[in-house]
Structure formats: C-alpha cells, structure tokens
Amino acid sequence: MTTGNWAPPTRTERLLYEAGAREDRAAVLDALGRTRLYVLQARVHADAPGYTPRLPSQRDKTARRTVVPVLTEGMLLAWHPDWVFKQTTLARLAAAWPNDRWWLAVNPDTPFQAALPARAADRRAWEEAGTRGGGPARLRLLTHAGGPLHGPVAHALALGAHLAVLNGLVWNGLGAQYEDYPTDVSRLRRPWAVHHRADFRDKLRTLIATRLVGRVPESVLGMRRRLTARLGHPPSDEQWASMVTVTFERDDPYGEDRAEAAEFLRRITHYEARFRADGLLPPDGRVDTLAAFDHGRAVNVVRLALGARYCEPREAEESVLKVLESARREYGSWEEFSLGYLLARLIHFDEGDPEPMYQESVAVHRTLTQDPSSPYRNIPWS
C-alpha cells in the first residue's frame, strides 16, 4: 500500500492510515495501544540527573489548538547528535497529560497522522486501549520499509534479529535509537559495562573476536569437531564425553574447568537432542560453534551505541560490516547461524525452569527461518 509518494514504514503506520481513512477512532486507539510512541527531547535535558522535561507542545495554527506531537517507531527523524527520543505509551501519556484542552498529535503532517482530543474521558479511553492491547508487543518480526532490506548492511543487521524479534523492535534500523535514548544508555551500562565511546569500541572488538561466548563450551564443541575429522564421521556421545574428560583431566589439574565442561557437555547434548526431536536439526545434525551468540549481540551493541551517541552512523555501519565478516567465516547458512545463537542462549541460561526460554527461543528461530518476510528468507547468506 502506498499513499502518493509515501509508503507505510511499518505495520503500525499502515493501521493508522487505514483507520484514519475510515474515520475509525476506535481502530486508531487500538493501533496506538499496541505500539511504542516517541517524544523528541534535547539530549542535554535527557542527560540532566533528576530532570524530567515536560511534554513538548506546539501550536497547530490550522486547527487553532495546542498539540503534543509524538511519533510512531517508523516515523522517527534521522539520527542527530543533540536530539534524542524517549519512549512512552498511550497509557503513560494519559497519566501525565498536562492540559484538558490540548490534543495529542501522532505523526503530524504525514499521511499516518492521528489527532486525538485529551479530555478526561478521552484519556480514560487511552488507558483502556493500552490495557486492551497489552502495550508494545514482543516476539514479533518488525521490518522498517525505509531501512536496509538487501545487501551487506541489511545482512549484517539481520545477525542481530534474534534480540530484535524477542523485544518486538525493528530489526533493520540503524538510526536515532534502538529502543530509546535512556534505555539504550542503560542497557550499555548493564550488562555491558559500556559508559563511553572507548568502552564501546573495546567491547565490540571482544565480541567480534567471539571471546565472550565462553571458552569452555567452545572447547567442548571443538573436541567433537576434531574427533569427527579424525574418525571420518561424528563420534558417539560416549566417545565425545570420554575425550572431554581426558582432555580436561590432563589440561586442568586443579579441576577448575572440569565440572563446568561436564555440565556444558550435558546441556549441549540435551538441547541438540531437543532440536532434532522438534525438527530444528536433521537426525544427524549438530551445532559446531556458538560464535553466533557474540555476533548477534555485537550488532545489538552497535545499535545501542548509536542510540546512546557513543558512535556516529558511519562508524556504526562500518562496525556491523566487521561483524558480518566474522560471522561469514564461521557459518555457511542462516539456519546454522540461528541454531548457533539458539544453543548458546539456552546453555548459558539453563537455570531454574528453562522451558519458557526454550519455547521462546524456538519461536524466534522459527519466525526468522520460516516467515516469508524474514531477512533470513530474503537475504542470501553468501
């Protein structure tokens, strides 16, 4: 669908356009109740400790009213070093609304705009729409029609699609934000311990070199690869376990890694068996390396750093392309890459009740490998 020279960047803008064309206020609220909304802020205000800026307002001279402008995810302005976006929702706006006579202007002056009155009864309807819609959705494949869709940059961004789908964020964005400015800054600080540009570059080098996915589990998988080369066929689980035991007894005299290796061997064997039972791996299939976990996280760290203003768009693009170079050396297909990411995530967080994480991870994998609109179905690996 296009509207003159405009095409809806994401599904949200399409729904807003269609609802507006029908003058269907309920459908507009339903669409807005399920999406993130963004408010433009000066970065200096966003960085000021304890300072909460008021909602921005402007005069709509045509309609002769004051409006609060907000944007949907597909309509954000280009990256700028001094202007950032803060995420909100329809329900949060209702709770913080400053003036009954003001209106909410969503995507003003575009074909995907919506103008909503904001009296007390209207704001109650906003809250109800947010409750009904459940807020911004997770576990969805969200593509920005104006972002990279083909070519090396799109390929590189698709390496980070697991986390994007998991969190319901655009997978092919390399612009003003990943989620929003304060969240991007916060996520870099924890768990990544990234507080500035130099930290970001150091962490990126470590991830590209796949040094965070874990030396011990990669060693365990490496032993199976070597046994396979030596035998001319994959070893039995008993042969593999024996090599792991002998190797770690020889090279780890104090037993610091031995128990960890045995546990990772158990987890790898367990999850590969589940992958085969669930049709994710063929009967004789296996995962040879967990490097994809660091590749995928590296792309997301780049996107977070761009959102946090720790790098600029050109450096961000160059950075994700470096990640792509590393990933192509390790994997031969999207399926191999995705299963490497999946297995790493599962074995590293196999604590408590792992079943919800397993089902969630498999759902993301199936979305990326089976959805006709997925980059894994539309971007050749090689």
Side-chain angles (χ1 to χ4, degrees):
M1 181 191 77
T2 60
T3 57
N5 293 326
W6 291 71
T10 75
R11 182 174 181 269
T12 297
E13 290 77 35
R14 177 174 61 79
L15 291 175
L16 286 175
Y17 178 80
E18 292 172 349
R22 299 193 306 269
E23 297 185 357
D24 187 341
R25 180 65 58 81
V28 168
L29 290 178
D30 283 343
L32 294 176
R34 295 193 298 269
T35 193
R36 294 175 174 85
L37 299 172
Y38 291 87
V39 176
L40 185 66
Q41 288 185 342
R43 183 180 167 195
V44 66
H45 292 162
D47 286 339
Y51 176 70
T52 302
R54 294 182 298 178
L55 286 172
S57 62
Q58 62 190 41
R59 189 68 181 169
D60 183 338
K61 294 181 181 179
T62 302
R64 296 183 179 180
R65 59 193 176 212
T66 299
V67 301
V68 172
V70 299
L71 300 173
T72 53
E73 194 163 25
M75 299 301 293
L76 299 185
L77 307 178
W79 186 94
H80 189 283
D82 299 322
W83 291 93
V84 298
F85 289 97
K86 183 174 182 180
Q87 180 186 176
T88 187
T89 64
L90 201 58
R92 286 185 214 156
L93 286 169
W97 200 257
N99 190 313
D100 282 6
R101 298 178 65 184
W102 291 4
W103 283 50
L104 178 65
V106 182
N107 301 329
D109 302 318
T110 76
F112 318 112
Q113 65 185 349
L116 302 176
R119 296 165 302 224
D122 299 314
R123 298 198 302 275
R124 284 195 295 272
W126 297 3
E127 292 174 342
E128 291 168 3
T131 301
R132 189 167 58 247
R138 296 175 72 252
L139 291 174
R140 61 171 180 164
L141 177 63
L142 186 61
T143 301
H144 193 302
L149 298 173
H150 304 284
V153 174
H155 190 161
L157 290 172
L159 299 175
H162 285 83
L163 275 172
V165 170
L166 184 66
N167 293 309
L169 300 169
V170 166
W171 70 265
N172 63 331
L174 203 58
Q177 43 76 55
Y178 181 40
E179 186 162 346
D180 74 341
Y181 178 73
T183 307
D184 294 350
V185 171
S186 176
R187 285 187 176 175
L188 283 174
R189 288 176 180 167
R190 186 174 182 183
W192 293 111
V194 170
H195 298 86
H196 47 67
R197 185 182 297 258
D199 283 346
F200 157 61
R201 289 174 174 171
D202 287 343
K203 193 65 67 177
L204 181 62
R205 282 192 291 268
T206 301
L207 285 164
I208 289 176
T210 65
R211 293 202 297 268
L212 294 184
V213 73
R215 175 181 56 84
V216 172
E218 276 291 87
S219 296
V220 170
L221 287 173
M223 291 175 203
R224 183 170 61 179
R225 292 196 303 271
R226 292 195 295 276
L227 264 180
T228 299
R230 184 188 309 166
L231 298 172
H233 58 78
S236 66
D237 287 347
E238 292 75 16
Q239 289 173 314
W240 184 21
S242 176
M243 184 177 186
V244 170
T245 300
V246 170
T247 301
F248 276 91
E249 284 179 349
R250 182 193 67 210
D251 298 338
D252 182 30
Y254 298 105
E256 295 176 353
D257 294 332
R258 219 177 305 165
E260 188 179 0
E263 178 60 18
F264 275 124
L265 176 64
R266 183 196 68 79
R267 293 182 185 186
I268 291 168
T269 303
H270 168 73
Y271 283 114
E272 285 187 333
R274 290 204 67 176
F275 291 172
R276 296 185 193 100
D278 291 338
L280 307 183
L281 272 175
D284 58 348
R286 63 184 189 273
V287 175
D288 283 334
T289 175
L290 307 174
F293 198 49
D294 277 358
H295 296 143
R297 293 187 296 172
V299 168
N300 284 280
V301 164
V302 172
R303 294 185 63 189
L304 288 169
L306 184 61
R309 293 349 187 230
Y310 295 162
C311 68
E312 297 179 355
R314 181 182 293 275
E315 181 182 358
E317 184 172 309
E318 292 170 351
S319 296
V320 297
L321 290 175
K322 290 177 183 175
V323 180
L324 177 59
E325 290 177 10
S326 180
R328 277 179 162 164
R329 287 194 295 268
E330 298 290 347
Y331 295 97
S333 71
W334 282 116
E335 287 75 13
E336 289 178 11
F337 175 85
S338 187
L339 286 171
Y341 186 99
L342 190 66
L343 181 60
R345 182 172 190 252
L346 291 169
I347 68 170
H348 280 297
F349 300 104
D350 183 64
E351 307 292 342
D353 179 9
E355 188 61 22
M357 176 172 285
Y358 179 81
Q359 296 299 334
E360 180 182 76
S361 300
V362 168
V364 172
H365 171 78
R366 285 184 167 146
T367 295
L368 287 169
T369 56
Q370 297 176 12
D371 191 310
S373 65
S374 167
Y376 290 14
R377 298 288 301 273
N378 292 285
I379 301 172
W381 178 264
S382 55

